[in-house]
Amino acid sequence: MSWPASVFAVLSLVSSSSASWGDQSSFYIMCGRNCWKLNCQAEESLQAWRETQSRSERMFGWECMDDCRYNCMWETVEEMEMRHGQVPQFHGKWPFVRVFGVQEPASTIFSLLNLCSNLYMLNWFIKTIPSTTPMFSVWVLYSLTAVNAWVWSTVFHTRDTNFTEMMDYFCAFSTVLFSLIAFCLRIVGTDNARTVFVSALFAAFFSHHIYSMAFVRFDYGYNMKVNVLVGAVNGICWLAWAYSHYGDGPHVKKGVGAILVLTGSVLLELLDFPPLMWTIDSHALWHLATAPLPLLWYQFAAGDCLKIAREGEFGIQKKIA
């Protein structure tokens, strides 16, 4: 799921911004202040709030002020719909109903579907392709970055905090970058000096990006530009490679099919509508659309691995039964 996972990673970065109409409104701000004074300031009132909190909300780390923001969000939505006939966003996101402590139920479930499809196809890939086959370890490592990215996507949509947001962004970028590494290693080979050089170059670039974001400044604009650039280069490279290798076998067609379906599903992100039933927005639908794509992409990776082994493209002649 190299190119599909890259687009997932880039689009997962669109969701956040520092402020929106809803959270900047005086109604929301005053509501939050009043709620804090009423429920969170005094120990007695705080204890009373804790006694009403559900176990699931407590498990996911919802604090008193978080609950104030959540309840004030809905009060603001009702007020703004009455005043202006519009649903406001809050901190760059639409309002979502909380279910058993889960902040964005649909995106969480659909992220889990993507995680499961990647785990299933990774298991299939390992069982299908001999471990001595060229590119085997590259695709397995790539798959692990995709699995890790979907784990953190699930965590982030379950509970949006500064830490889970950061982990979601960083793990998504690792998938984008490793996808491009996989392409480069497909070109230069996996067991030579160029392999070491390419791997070291990408590792240094990734380390610098993470350090800049985590310890210098968490810059949304810079992060977005880097991800879009790397993702675009990655997509163009794989499409160009597929064009020049289209006659290699049906596995290439599956790879192209995955890319085309993924590209079409990206259009869902452009819809950007208030959540249906306060649960399903365009981003959640996009996660749903990407869930079956690993079924195609891993078959492409497996077919290419077997072709390399049969024809000795990396200077290795190996017969695959």
Side-chain angles (χ1 to χ4, degrees):
M1 201 179 82
S2 179
W3 169 234
S6 298
V7 178
F8 141 70
V10 170
L11 288 178
S12 72
L13 306 175
V14 178
S15 61
S16 289
S17 65
S18 58
S20 297
W21 172 39
D23 60 85
Q24 291 295 294
S25 68
S26 58
F27 184 91
Y28 176 82
I29 294 171
M30 290 304 299
C31 176
R33 289 175 181 171
N34 293 333
C35 180
W36 179 77
K37 291 178 181 178
L38 183 64
N39 298 309
C40 311
Q41 187 174 23
E43 184 59 34
E44 184 179 342
S45 58
L46 181 60
Q47 185 59 36
W49 172 82
R50 286 172 180 159
E51 291 174 0
T52 64
Q53 189 182 29
S54 69
R55 184 175 300 178
S56 59
E57 290 170 2
R58 193 159 46 247
M59 180 179 68
F60 287 123
W62 289 95
E63 300 292 344
C64 183
M65 196 58 210
D66 297 322
D67 208 45
C68 283
R69 294 189 189 99
Y70 177 77
N71 291 322
C72 287
M73 175 184 73
W74 289 115
E75 291 185 30
T76 304
V77 167
E78 184 178 354
E79 183 70 16
M80 294 306 174
E81 281 189 309
M82 201 162 47
R83 286 188 194 175
H84 308 286
Q86 296 180 14
V87 177
Q89 290 190 339
F90 298 82
H91 304 288
K93 291 186 175 185
W94 292 111
F96 294 94
V97 66
R98 195 168 63 195
V99 179
F100 298 114
V102 175
Q103 195 163 353
E104 298 178 37
S107 288
T108 299
I109 292 171
F110 299 154
S111 292
L112 278 172
L113 286 178
N114 279 276
L115 172 61
C116 290
S117 63
N118 274 276
L119 283 172
Y120 176 81
M121 290 307 294
L122 172 57
N123 182 60
W124 171 85
F125 183 87
I126 291 173
K127 290 181 177 179
T128 303
I129 306 301
S131 60
T132 54
T133 306
M135 289 292 292
F136 173 87
S137 60
V138 174
W139 283 116
V140 169
L141 287 173
Y142 165 78
S143 301
L144 292 176
T145 68
V147 167
N148 183 55
W150 284 114
V151 166
W152 282 104
S153 175
T154 302
V155 172
F156 174 62
H157 289 302
T158 299
R159 184 73 171 91
D160 180 354
T161 67
N162 289 337
F163 177 73
T164 60
E165 178 185 51
M166 191 176 295
M167 291 302 297
D168 180 51
Y169 280 26
F170 293 166
C171 295
F173 182 60
S174 72
T175 306
V176 178
L177 203 60
F178 205 96
S179 175
L180 189 55
I181 294 174
F183 170 79
C184 292
L185 295 182
R186 178 61 180 86
I187 301 300
V188 304
T190 58
D191 190 21
N192 54 57
R194 290 175 296 177
T195 305
V196 176
F197 175 76
V198 168
S199 301
L201 186 66
F202 278 97
F205 178 70
F206 179 73
S207 299
H208 173 74
H209 178 74
I210 299 304
Y211 176 81
S212 297
M213 289 291 293
F215 300 106
V216 179
R217 183 190 172 202
F218 198 86
D219 189 330
Y220 290 101
Y222 161 75
N223 193 48
M224 185 55 141
K225 289 175 184 177
V226 170
N227 276 269
V228 168
L229 177 62
V230 174
V233 171
N234 177 62
I236 292 170
C237 287
W238 278 113
L239 285 173
W241 182 93
Y243 178 80
S244 62
H245 290 78
Y246 202 71
D248 285 1
H251 64 281
V252 178
K253 298 178 178 64
K254 291 178 181 178
V256 171
I259 295 172
L260 294 178
V261 171
L262 189 281
T263 303
S265 71
V266 170
L267 297 176
L268 289 169
E269 286 287 326
L270 303 179
L271 298 177
D272 197 28
F273 51 84
L276 303 173
M277 300 178 289
W278 303 115
T279 303
I280 302 174
D281 67 338
S282 58
H283 188 71
L285 289 177
W286 182 77
H287 278 338
L288 177 63
T290 60
L293 295 184
L295 302 177
L296 290 174
W297 192 259
Y298 281 82
Q299 291 185 63
F300 156 70
D304 189 54
C305 283
L306 295 177
K307 179 184 179 299
I308 294 171
R310 283 195 303 268
E311 300 185 5
E313 288 187 33
F314 291 175
I316 302 173
Q317 294 289 345
K318 177 174 281 293
K319 185 175 180 61
I320 303 296

